[in-house]
Amino acid sequence: MPLYTWLKAGTTAAAVVLATATAASAAAAPTSMPSTASASAVVTLRYDDSRAGGWEAAITAGVASWNANVTNVKLVEAAPGARAEIVIVATTGWPQATLGPVRPGRQVRVELGSQAVTQGYDKTRIAAHELGHSLGLPDTKPGPCSQLMSGSSPGTSCVNAVPNATERARVESAYANGAAALLPLDGRILVDAP
């Protein structure tokens, strides 16, 4: 058999093998593969609001806001009697919280103070803002209403309880690939009086 025929047959066979392997790989791989790495990297933090009477709806809305806007960390209500990373209590003073980012197994405290509500500040914004401290965000006072962490500085008419893009990015970065386990807890208490 001439060399040309051997080369042509070998090239054709290689092309068929390559096409078959590519088609088999494409058929075996789903179009959108779930990422097990990202699913396992989500940090779950439990909160206990059993001592935050009168704030339940605001806490639920604040938690929902964070859960809808970040993917690397999820806040879930702790089962009764279970240890929570975020302990939320109602107080008569100004809202305050421990500056995180809190890690699984560690604990921070959020105090939802009625003094701010008495002065006209929105409960849901307060709850979301204080949870932001637990996730590692400091105050950005003074700041516009569009910044959740500007707290009371935009005044009582501000009811925004949604973190902006910068705030979301900072929390995502703090909890990327479970990184919160490696970050030190700041531990400062931030009091949110005007």
Side-chain angles (χ1 to χ4, degrees):
M1 185 182 289
L3 179 60
Y4 170 77
T5 307
W6 276 102
L7 288 175
K8 186 176 176 185
T11 303
T12 304
V16 168
V17 168
L18 183 59
T20 305
T22 302
S25 298
T31 32
S32 65
M33 293 176 44
S35 173
T36 55
S38 65
S40 64
V42 174
V43 175
T44 300
L45 299 173
R46 294 161 299 177
Y47 67 92
D48 174 4
D49 63 353
S50 62
R51 295 184 292 157
W55 287 85
E56 295 85 357
I59 293 166
T60 298
V63 165
S65 178
W66 279 109
N67 285 344
N69 284 286
V70 294
T71 57
N72 289 338
V73 62
K74 289 296 172 204
L75 303 174
V76 298
E77 190 169 3
R83 179 172 164 75
E85 285 81 14
I86 303 171
V87 175
I88 306 171
V89 298
T91 67
T92 57
W94 279 96
Q96 58 184 329
T98 310
L99 181 59
V102 65
R103 302 177 300 233
R106 296 287 304 266
Q107 195 169 68
V108 295
R109 181 177 170 96
V110 168
E111 295 184 10
L112 300 175
S114 62
Q115 191 169 354
V117 177
T118 301
Q119 293 203 8
Y121 292 96
D122 181 70
K123 277 183 152 184
T124 300
R125 179 172 169 84
I126 293 168
H129 174 90
E130 298 307 324
L131 287 168
H133 287 320
S134 297
L135 297 174
L137 297 177
D139 287 314
T140 55
K141 295 177 183 180
C145 183
S146 60
Q147 290 178 346
L148 175 60
M149 300 315 293
S150 67
S152 60
S153 66
T156 57
S157 63
C158 178
V159 296
N160 172 43
V162 178
N164 69 17
T166 301
E167 295 162 334
R168 291 189 303 266
R170 287 188 69 184
V171 170
E172 293 285 33
S173 177
Y175 289 93
N177 298 317
L182 306 174
L183 296 173
L185 178 67
D186 186 296
R188 286 181 287 158
I189 305 296
L190 301 178
V191 179
D192 287 304

